[in-house]
Amino acid sequence: MLPKPHLSPSSELGSSLRVAPWDPPLCGCWESFALQWAPHSPALSRVVAPFLLCGYLVVGFSPSWLLFQDGPNRTGTTRALDCGAGIGRITKRLLLPLFKTVDMVDVTEDFLTKAKSYLGEEGRRVRNYFCCGLQDFSPEPNSYDVIWIQWVIGHLTDNHLSDFLRRCRAGLRPNGIVVIKDNMAQEGVIMDDVDSSVCRDLDVVRKIIRRAGLHLLAEERQENFPDEIYHVYTFAMR
């Protein structure tokens, strides 16, 4: 879910402010997301179009001191996992330059197919292309130095997100970290009636992180973004 214009609870587009956890009994959020994206071309312009309208192309932001700090807690650079990878923008421009190998997981098969050509020669270092929703995906235990989750948590219910983060924790190698980068609401949870995604506020996300048994190591707000879009935050945890 790329940065999008902030919608107030009274927006005529139909978004509504919700303060309760987003866990409807029979949520069709992933089905709506898959149906929304499946008919589209996986071309780069189509994937990043909402953000290009703002004059920006954000590839990724890394709290690099976590990746390359000295000492016994130094995070390794052997293997990373790109969650909600799409056609591989984060893999290509952030993860492959930093890690020896990368795995990608996305719910849309066409995107993963496009990724193999988009990544070019460096794509040879992508070991696995997993076509799976994150609510059903389990990272291989004790395998990843970094698990990167960008602009996709809004398509998971609170319970699905907490459970997935718990599985991510089990997938970390020693001193590994999980990174979330996503839009943050000002207050509560704002639901987008168009794509069934949600935008949670900081407190809600922090509670979900704690519920998953993860310890928050760092939290930073992305600077120099237009006022018209949600604030974007990066969290590092293990």
Side-chain angles (χ1 to χ4, degrees):
M1 183 172 63
L2 292 167
K4 59 180 68 176
H6 174 72
L7 302 175
S8 67
S10 61
S11 168
E12 60 184 16
L13 292 180
S15 293
S16 57
L17 181 66
R18 299 161 56 102
V19 294
W22 185 53
D23 277 312
L26 294 173
C27 177
C29 53
W30 270 100
E31 290 82 357
S32 298
F33 175 67
L35 288 172
Q36 177 198 7
W37 284 105
H40 293 314
S41 163
L44 178 63
S45 59
R46 178 72 76 170
V47 175
V48 302
F51 209 20
L52 288 174
L53 293 176
C54 301
Y56 289 79
L57 175 57
V58 173
V59 172
F61 165 76
S62 170
S64 58
W65 56 272
L66 284 171
L67 294 178
F68 300 111
Q69 61 183 327
D70 293 325
N73 294 324
R74 178 187 177 96
T75 299
T77 58
T78 299
R79 188 180 179 192
L81 174 65
D82 186 357
C83 300
I87 66 168
R89 293 180 304 113
I90 302 302
T91 291
K92 181 173 184 174
R93 305 200 183 177
L94 178 68
L95 300 179
L96 282 175
L98 295 176
F99 296 91
K100 294 178 181 177
T101 62
V102 176
D103 288 347
M104 297 171 58
V105 55
D106 196 271
V107 71
T108 306
E109 186 175 1
D110 283 350
F111 288 176
L112 295 175
T113 299
K114 176 65 176 178
K116 295 175 183 179
S117 59
Y118 172 67
L119 294 173
E121 289 296 313
E122 289 298 299
R124 292 178 297 178
R125 293 192 288 115
V126 175
R127 299 198 337 166
N128 297 293
Y129 296 84
F130 299 110
C131 186
C132 184
L134 298 185
Q135 80 280 10
D136 297 319
F137 183 74
S138 295
E140 183 182 343
N142 194 34
S143 296
Y144 298 103
D145 296 297
V146 168
I147 296 177
W148 193 277
I149 309 165
Q150 181 159 331
W151 286 326
V152 71
I153 66 170
H155 296 284
L156 292 169
T157 67
D158 290 1
N159 283 339
H160 282 160
L161 178 55
S162 177
D163 291 345
F164 175 62
L165 289 176
R166 191 173 291 110
R167 296 194 299 272
C168 285
R169 182 186 179 194
L172 293 177
R173 300 179 65 198
N175 299 322
I177 58 172
V178 176
V179 176
I180 291 177
K181 177 175 178 177
D182 220 303
N183 305 332
M184 295 295 132
Q186 293 288 338
E187 182 181 2
V189 181
I190 298 175
M191 185 170 185
D192 189 323
D193 294 334
V194 176
D195 65 3
S196 298
S197 66
V198 295
C199 186
R200 303 172 174 91
D201 69 20
L202 287 168
D203 285 341
V204 172
V205 173
R206 291 176 188 132
K207 288 177 182 176
I208 292 174
I209 290 171
R210 289 196 298 269
R211 200 169 97 191
L214 288 160
H215 174 65
L216 195 59
L217 300 174
E219 172 185 309
E220 289 194 32
R221 176 181 167 184
Q222 185 85 47
E223 301 294 338
N224 302 318
F225 270 27
D227 293 334
E228 292 77 15
I229 66 174
Y230 287 119
H231 295 164
V232 176
Y233 277 78
T234 303
F235 305 86
M237 65 206 80
R238 68 162 60 106

